[in-house]
C-alpha cells in the first residue's frame, strides 16, 4: 500500500527533501546547501541549474535512505521561499534566479514612495512595493537590464521552478503569487490595474496560470523520474509559499491562530477569514481555498545567527558540539543586565528601508562573545516584536504562538522570544515544518486528507512549551525602546552609507 508523502522545502540557501508517513513521522530526510552569488552590492542571485541539481540529489538520497519503493510515495508537495524572482526564458529554459535577500531595487522603491505608488497597489494586492518583491524586481530589470528582461518567458517563484522541472508544467499557486504582491488578493486573480501601478501593464503574458496550493499541477515526467528516483506519474501539487507551509506544518490551521517563523526571514502571521485586517500590514496571502494569512515580515531573523556562525565560529573549537549549540551556551551563560549591548538585525536591510544595516551598539571592554551572541538573539526577537505590534495595531488578536524555523531548534532562543514578546510559545515536534506543510498539501491533493486542518491533526504534534519570565518584563521593555530609538537615529546614516556605496560602484564600472 502506498503510504508515504514527499515534502520539499526550498529556502534561500538550503533545499530539503523529507519523506513522511501519514502520522507525520519522518522516515528519511536529505538536504543540500546552494551557493548565492553577489555580483554587486545588494544583488543576491543563485544558479538555477545548481538549484535543480540539488533538488534531484536530495530527492534521490531521501528515497534511498527510506528504503521504500518509489511507487509507495503517494504525492509530492513543494514549499519555497517567497518573493525574489525566478524566470524561464521564452524557450522554457532556466534564465535567472534572484533571491528574496536582494536589495538592488531599494532606489526604485524610494522613487515609488515619493510617487505614492503604494497607495495604488495596496488596495488590490495588500502590499506596498519593497526591494525584494517580485514585481518590483521585474520592474527594475525592465528599466536597468532590458536585454535580460527581453528574454523572459515566464516569471514565477522558487518552488514553481522545481515543480516545473519535476512536471514540465509552468504554473504557480495562489499563496505564493498573492504573497509576492502579484494578485488581487480578495479575488485570487491577476489584475491589470495592479500591474500597471508597477509599470508592468504590458507584462501580463509573463505570468503563469494559477492553481490552488493542493491542486494537482502535473505528474512526475519520465525524465524527472530518471533524474530523481521518483516514479513517473506520481502527482505533484501546486505547493505553497513557505511561510504558509510552515504554519500548516506546525499545526497552525485555526482562524486566529498565530505562527512565528525564525528562519532567513522574520515571519509573523495570523490566519484570518477575510482578505485583510482592519488596518494595514506588510502583506496578505491566501491560506487555504477560503481563508487568508495576514503577514508582517522582513529579512531580519535567523540569517543573522547563520552569518555570525559562518564568519566567527566556523573554525572555533567546539569539542564536538555544533557552532550553533556553542552560541546558545554562550548566550545562556549571560545574566541579563541593563548595560548589555544591543543589535540591529538588518544584514539584508529592513522591511521598508533597503538601506538599513546591521550593527552592535553599546559594546564595552568587559563584554564577551556571549554578550554579543545574546544581543544578536535578542535583536532578532525585537525585530519580530516590532512586526507583531504592527499586526496588533491592525486588529489582530492572539495570546499565544507556535514558533518554527531554525531559531526554534535552539534551547535558549524560544525562551528569549517568549520573554521579549510576552507570549507563551510552543514548538512543534517536527523540525522540518515547511516540508511537512508541503507534504500535508500533497496529501490533501491526493485525497488522503479533507483539508489542511485534517492533515495537520493527523501529522503534527507539539514538543515544547515556553512561558514568559515576568521578572524580565521591564528589562525588555526598556531595551526594546532603546532598540527602536537607535534605529530611528541611524536612518540618515544608513542613507549616507548606501549613497557612498553607489558612488564607489559607479566609479568602478
Amino acid at each position: 500500500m502506498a503510504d508515504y508523502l514527499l515534502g520539499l522545502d526550498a529556502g534561500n540557501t538550503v533545499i530539503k527533501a523529507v519523506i513522511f508517513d501519514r502520522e507525520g513521522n519522518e522516515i528519511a530526510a536529505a538536504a543540500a546547501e546552494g551557493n548565492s552569488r553577489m555580483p554587486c552590492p545588494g544583488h543576491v542571485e543563485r544558479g538555477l541549474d545548481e538549484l535543480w541539481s540539488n533538488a534531484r540529489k536530495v530527492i534521490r538520497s531521501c528515497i534511498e535512505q527510506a528504503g521504500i519503493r518509489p511507487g509507495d510515495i503517494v504525492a509530492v508537495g513543494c514549499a519555497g521561499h517567497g518573493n525574489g524572482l525566478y524566470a524561464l526564458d521564452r524557450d522554457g529554459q532556466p534564465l535567472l534566479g534572484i533571491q528574496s535577500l536582494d536589495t538592488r531595487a531599494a532606489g526604485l522603491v524610494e522613487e515609488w514612495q515619493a510617487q505614492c505608488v503604494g497607495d495604488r497597489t495596496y488596495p488590490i494586492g495588500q502590499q506596498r512595493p519593497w526591494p525584494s518583491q517580485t514585481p518590483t524586481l521585474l520592474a527594475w530589470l525592465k528599466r536597468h537590464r532590458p536585454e535580460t528582461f527581453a528574454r523572459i518567458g515566464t516569471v514565477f517563484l522558487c518552488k514553481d521552478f522545481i515543480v516545473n522541472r519535476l512536471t514540465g508544467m509552468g504554473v504557480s499557486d495562489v499563496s505564493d503569487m498573492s504573497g509576492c504582491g502579484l494578485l488581487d488578493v480578495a479575488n485570487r486573480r491577476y489584475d491589470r490595474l495592479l500591474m500597471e501601478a508597477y509599470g508592468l501593464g504590458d507584462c501580463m503574458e509573463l505570468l503563469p496560470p494559477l492553481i490552488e496550493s493542493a491542486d494537482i499541477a502535473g505528474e512526475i515526467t519520465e525524465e524527472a523520474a530518471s533524474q530523481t528516483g521518483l516514479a513517473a506519474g506520481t502527482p505533484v501539487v501546486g505547493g505553497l509559499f513557505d511561510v504558509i507551509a510552515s504554519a500548516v506544518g506546525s499545526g497552525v490551521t485555526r482562524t486566529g491562530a498565530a505562527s512565528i517563523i525564525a528562519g532567513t526571514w522574520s515571519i509573523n502571521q495570523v490566519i484570518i477569514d477575510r482578505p485583510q485586517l482592519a488596518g494595514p500590514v506588510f502583506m496578505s496571502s491566501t491560506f487555504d481555498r477560503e481563508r487568508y494569512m495576514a503577514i508582517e515580515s522582513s529579512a531580519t531573523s535567523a540569517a543573522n545567527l547563520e552569518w555570525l556562525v559562518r564568519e566567527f565560529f566556523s573554525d572555533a573549537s567546539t569539542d564536538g558540539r555544533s557552532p550553533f549549540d556553542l552560541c546558545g551556551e554562550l548566550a545562556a551563560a549571560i545574566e541579563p543586565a541593563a548595560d548589555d549591548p544591543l543589535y540591529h538585525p538588518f544584514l539584508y536591510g529592513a522591511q521598508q528601508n533597503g538601506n538599513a544595516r546591521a550593527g552592535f551598539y553599546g559594546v564595552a571592554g568587559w563584554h564577551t562573545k556571549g554578550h554579543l551572541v545574546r544581543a544578536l538573539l535578542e535583536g532578532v526577537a525585537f525585530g519580530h516584536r516590532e512586526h507583531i505590534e504592527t499586526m496588533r495595531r491592525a486588529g489582530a488578536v492572539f495570546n499565544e504562538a507556535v514558533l518554527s524555523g531554525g531559531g526554534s531548534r535552539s534551547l535558549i532562543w524560544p525562551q528569549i522570544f517568549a520573554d521579549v514578546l510576552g507570549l507563551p510559545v510552543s514548538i512543534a515536534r517536527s523540525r522540518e515544518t515547511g516540508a511537512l506543510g508541503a507534504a500535508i498539501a500533497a496529501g490533501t491533493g491526493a485525497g488522503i486528507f479533507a483539508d489542511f486542518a485534517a492533515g495537520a491533526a493527523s501529522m503534527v504534534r507539539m514538543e515544547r512549551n515556553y512561558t514568559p519570565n515576568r521578572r524580565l518584563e521591564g528589562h525588555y521593555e526598556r531595551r526594546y525602546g532603546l532598540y527602536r530609538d537607535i534605529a530611528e537615529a541611524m536612518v540618515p546614516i544608513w542613507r549616507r552609507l548606501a549613497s557612498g556605496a553607489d558612488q564607489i560602484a559607479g566609479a568602478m564600472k
Side-chain angles (χ1 to χ4, degrees):
M1 179 180 176
D3 273 331
Y4 303 103
L5 297 164
L6 173 62
L8 305 174
D9 185 6
N12 274 292
T13 53
V14 177
I15 181 167
K16 303 171 184 175
V18 187
I19 293 174
F20 299 92
D21 66 18
R22 297 191 188 197
E23 287 71 49
N25 298 304
E26 296 178 10
I27 306 304
E33 187 166 1
N35 296 301
S36 295
R37 299 192 299 256
M38 301 182 186
C40 301
H43 293 225
V44 187
E45 302 177 359
R46 74 192 322 171
L48 296 187
D49 288 337
E50 181 197 60
L51 175 58
W52 174 231
S53 175
N54 286 347
R56 299 197 309 263
K57 183 190 309 179
V58 297
I59 293 170
R60 182 174 291 279
S61 175
C62 200
I63 295 171
E64 291 173 352
Q65 289 180 49
I68 62 175
R69 296 184 303 111
D72 289 337
I73 296 174
V74 181
V76 179
C78 187
H81 80 77
N83 286 279
L85 187 151
Y86 289 71
L88 303 178
D89 67 18
R90 295 185 180 275
D91 295 321
Q93 296 305 306
L95 176 63
L96 179 66
I98 301 177
Q99 296 175 261
S100 63
L101 302 172
D102 194 281
T103 59
R104 73 183 69 187
L108 178 59
V109 170
E110 288 187 349
E111 177 184 320
W112 283 351
Q113 287 173 340
Q115 297 170 354
C116 300
V117 170
D119 292 343
R120 298 168 60 195
T121 63
Y122 194 88
I124 304 170
Q126 301 301 307
Q127 284 189 47
R128 295 178 180 275
W130 53 282
S132 303
Q133 185 195 45
T134 305
T136 299
L137 288 168
L138 185 60
W140 187 94
L141 290 171
K142 184 179 181 182
R143 178 185 296 189
H144 297 285
R145 298 290 186 272
E147 68 288 348
T148 299
F149 178 84
R151 296 174 59 195
I152 296 175
T154 302
V155 170
F156 47 23
L157 288 307
C158 177
K159 64 99 172 62
D160 301 326
F161 172 72
I162 296 169
V163 171
N164 171 262
R165 298 292 99 175
L166 290 172
T167 67
M169 304 300 293
V171 301
S172 189
D173 88 294
V174 292
S175 74
D176 233 350
M177 280 297 186
S178 56
C180 72
L182 277 169
L183 292 192
D184 172 348
V185 176
N187 295 301
R188 299 174 180 241
R189 66 190 182 199
Y190 298 125
D191 185 274
R192 185 171 295 277
L193 289 177
L194 178 61
M195 293 291 282
E196 288 174 352
Y198 291 111
L200 300 171
D202 57 347
C203 299
M204 297 290 289
E205 74 279 1
L206 303 183
L207 303 177
L210 286 170
I211 60 176
E212 292 286 341
S213 302
D215 287 348
I216 303 299
E219 298 178 342
I220 299 295
T221 64
E222 292 287 351
E223 180 180 4
S226 68
Q227 294 178 325
T228 62
L230 288 163
T234 303
V236 181
V237 297
L240 294 156
F241 183 8
D242 63 352
V243 304
I244 307 301
S246 288
V248 173
S250 59
V252 176
T253 59
R254 173 181 54 82
T255 297
S259 162
I260 296 173
I261 306 171
T264 301
W265 274 65
S266 164
I267 306 296
N268 312 272
Q269 52 189 358
V270 61
I271 300 172
I272 56 179
D273 288 326
R274 298 187 299 275
Q276 65 186 89
L277 290 167
V281 294
F282 183 53
M283 67 170 66
S284 290
S285 167
T286 61
F287 175 75
D288 54 21
R289 295 181 186 275
E290 297 179 352
R291 294 178 296 165
Y292 300 84
M293 186 76 87
I295 305 170
E296 266 292 315
S297 61
S298 59
T300 56
S301 195
N304 286 271
L305 183 60
E306 293 172 4
W307 165 79
L308 188 78
V309 165
R310 181 180 69 246
E311 298 298 332
F312 301 103
F313 287 90
S314 60
D315 298 326
S317 174
T318 60
D319 300 324
R321 298 163 295 173
S322 81
F324 293 96
D325 288 342
L326 174 61
C327 285
E329 292 173 12
L330 289 171
I334 300 301
E335 184 68 25
D339 72 339
D340 285 345
L342 288 155
Y343 177 76
H344 281 150
F346 305 138
L347 287 175
Y348 301 100
Q351 185 195 81
Q352 295 292 340
N353 186 353
N355 296 325
R357 293 294 179 264
F360 287 99
Y361 305 91
V363 181
W366 53 87
H367 290 137
T368 66
K369 285 190 291 187
H371 286 95
L372 297 184
V373 174
R374 188 175 183 98
L376 185 147
L377 301 184
E378 292 178 351
V380 167
F382 288 144
H384 279 266
R385 174 170 169 170
E386 196 162 15
H387 290 312
I388 285 172
E389 290 187 348
T390 297
M391 292 177 65
R392 284 178 166 157
R393 286 194 298 270
V397 178
F398 52 91
N399 300 312
E400 59 184 10
V402 179
L403 177 67
S404 59
S408 69
R409 300 172 189 174
S410 166
L411 294 180
I412 179 176
W413 215 349
Q415 184 62 57
I416 290 175
F417 268 93
D419 295 340
V420 167
L421 303 179
L423 284 175
V425 169
S426 300
I427 311 294
R429 176 186 65 175
S430 176
R431 292 187 170 189
E432 305 302 342
T433 54
L436 180 54
I440 290 171
T444 303
I448 296 172
F449 308 123
D451 52 26
F452 292 164
S458 176
M459 299 184 75
V460 179
R461 302 289 182 274
M462 290 297 130
E463 181 180 76
R464 288 176 280 143
N465 298 285
Y466 297 83
T467 57
N469 182 345
R470 298 303 178 190
R471 183 177 61 85
L472 293 174
E473 185 174 353
H475 171 76
Y476 280 122
E477 282 293 328
R478 174 182 173 275
R479 287 178 62 74
Y480 179 61
L482 290 170
Y483 167 94
R484 296 198 63 182
D485 288 346
I486 295 171
E488 184 176 351
M490 286 297 295
V491 168
I493 306 300
W494 291 329
R495 186 178 298 114
R496 289 168 59 190
L497 284 170
S499 175
D502 290 343
Q503 291 175 11
I504 293 172
M508 295 178 66
K509 287 185 178 179

